Amino acid sequence: DLTEIGFAIYMLIREAWGESQNLHREVKELDAELQPTFIQPDWRERPTAVKEAERKIKSLLRRYGKANGKTIDEIDDLFEKILTGLE
């Protein structure tokens, strides 16, 4: 029920921070929000689409990280790993 990109984001978060009750649901919601962007073949070449995707991913990481006691550095490190995985 997750797209390939959504599943990659889910696995990176789970690998780094472990599983929680809400992780799958939150990533599924993020995946649904990003779906219109990701289905466009050239989305990585459009700066506004990339920034919008980054903003939504960072928002999820901040919310999820804060709820699970993660530091800003841990959130930023995972954000960078996710961005690298999207390239």
Side-chain angles (χ1 to χ4, degrees):
D1 57 23
L2 293 172
T3 64
E4 186 177 320
I5 292 173
F7 184 72
I9 292 169
Y10 170 76
M11 292 304 293
L12 286 166
I13 295 171
R14 193 176 98 181
E15 181 181 296
W17 295 346
E19 180 70 68
S20 82
Q21 286 183 317
N22 297 331
L23 177 59
H24 189 269
R25 179 184 53 78
E26 290 195 41
V27 173
K28 188 175 181 178
E29 289 172 6
L30 172 69
D31 197 35
E33 286 180 40
L34 293 175
Q35 186 87 15
T37 299
F38 291 157
I39 62 171
Q40 298 172 15
D42 66 340
W43 75 270
R44 287 181 177 99
E45 298 165 12
R46 294 184 11 246
T48 54
V50 171
K51 288 297 177 192
E52 181 68 10
E54 289 176 357
R55 185 185 64 74
K56 289 179 179 182
I57 292 167
K58 186 79 166 210
S59 177
L60 168 73
L61 292 178
R62 285 185 181 142
R63 190 173 58 254
Y64 186 76
K66 185 177 179 182
N68 290 281
K70 303 303 175 189
T71 66
I72 296 294
D73 288 338
E74 289 173 309
I75 292 168
D76 289 343
D77 288 345
L78 185 53
F79 179 67
E80 291 302 319
K81 283 182 186 175
I82 290 172
L83 292 186
T84 299
L86 291 179
E87 292 176 354

